[in-house]
Amino acid sequence: MSIVLFIIIVFFVGLNYLLRSTVKKQHKKISSVEYIVVIGYILSLALFGAGLLTHSSQYHEAVDPVDGACYLPFGGKHALSLAIYFVAFNVAVIAVWIKGRQIPPIPLVLALIILMLGCIISIFVLTQVSYHDTSTLSIYVGNEGTFYFIFTPLFCFCFGIGFIWKIIQEEKTTAIHRNYQNPILNNINRQLSSKMDYPVWALILLVPFFVIMTAILILFGQESDSMAKVFTETTTWAFSQKMHPPILDHRGHYLCTVAAKGDPTVVKPLRLGNRHGNTIIVNRQLLVANAFEEILSDLSPKLHRYIRYFYDRYGYNISTRINSVGASNLTYRVMKPLEYTFLFFLYLFYVEPEKKIAKQYT
């Protein structure tokens, strides 16, 4: 994955420079619509990157979903192939967008081949990321994580179709006004003006180009079927053919740490409780917080998932730093205003709030 991330970072850094320098050199004016599309595409790439940060585990790794870990939609060691095609596709899009039909014939055909392959790959990527079966990751509910990934392949597919159509129309116009002295060549040109010769050549050379690209990628350590395995050697996604190991037990709750490590006269431990099969020390602050969480879960499950994700992701990091009585006491006192806020909502929504509090962790 380090090579793939390097390629993506280089692409992000170079994208702005390439666009600015090329547009300036060609004296091309960017319309407001084009500007909005470019901004939208860059935002989609940012979302895609955010998705990779939260979905970074390989199918063979055991994860703790409470800590926000989830599985990558693309097979890690095969992702280089996908990244290479992604970069090539964007270079082809920028070239056709800036110069259109003015590209020399051979590079133009290569650009059209890459655009066609990009459209095909975008369909597979969109299908892969549109379905995320998180039922085996108990903390998640539904099709979690797809939002981050769906926009980039949608943009890529639309770019590919749009710029192929652009070349077809420009070539058709050029061929109609092109005349040869030789009647045979002139007749061939008339035939090609209706068949659009460059896209036809691109279609003919599509498979040979893909074979050559695969051979080059093999030299970089990829496998001959990496473009298939990048989708199938995954878990929980649409084309996944692997099963992940059992999920890890969550490592704790930082208010549990406060109750266990603080001065009893300050944090006021009440009793022992049960959390995921483990015996813990509980105090009223922990009970109130957990009861409030149940309110949140009942009122808005989606909001609860996001807050729970944030709390667990950063709460555990806080708990690792609570290593003394003083730190536990300080945390307890800092949390007091929140405890009273939670208590207010409990008394606002429940007829018998103290029963709700008392039954936590029993």
Side-chain angles (χ1 to χ4, degrees), residues 16-70:
N16 184 55
Y17 173 79
L18 183 61
L19 280 173
R20 289 169 64 88
S21 61
T22 307
V23 170
K24 185 177 180 180
K25 185 177 179 180
Q26 296 295 324
H27 305 290
K28 178 181 174 66
K29 292 183 178 180
I30 302 178
S31 68
S32 57
V33 174
E34 288 176 320
Y35 183 77
I36 292 171
V37 170
V38 170
I39 294 299
Y41 181 52
I42 292 174
L43 289 175
S44 79
L45 292 174
L47 269 179
F48 200 93
L52 292 178
L53 291 177
T54 55
H55 299 75
S56 57
S57 300
Q58 296 300 317
Y59 72 88
H60 51 78
E61 300 172 3
V63 301
D64 179 1
V66 175
D67 280 339
C70 199

Side-chain angles (χ1 to χ4, degrees), residues 3 16 27 134 137 168 173 230 233 259 267-268 283 304:
I3 297 177
N16 184 55
H27 305 290
T134 55
L137 305 173
I168 288 174
T173 301
V230 73
E233 288 196 354
V267 301
K268 300 179 177 62
N283 61 357
H304 168 256

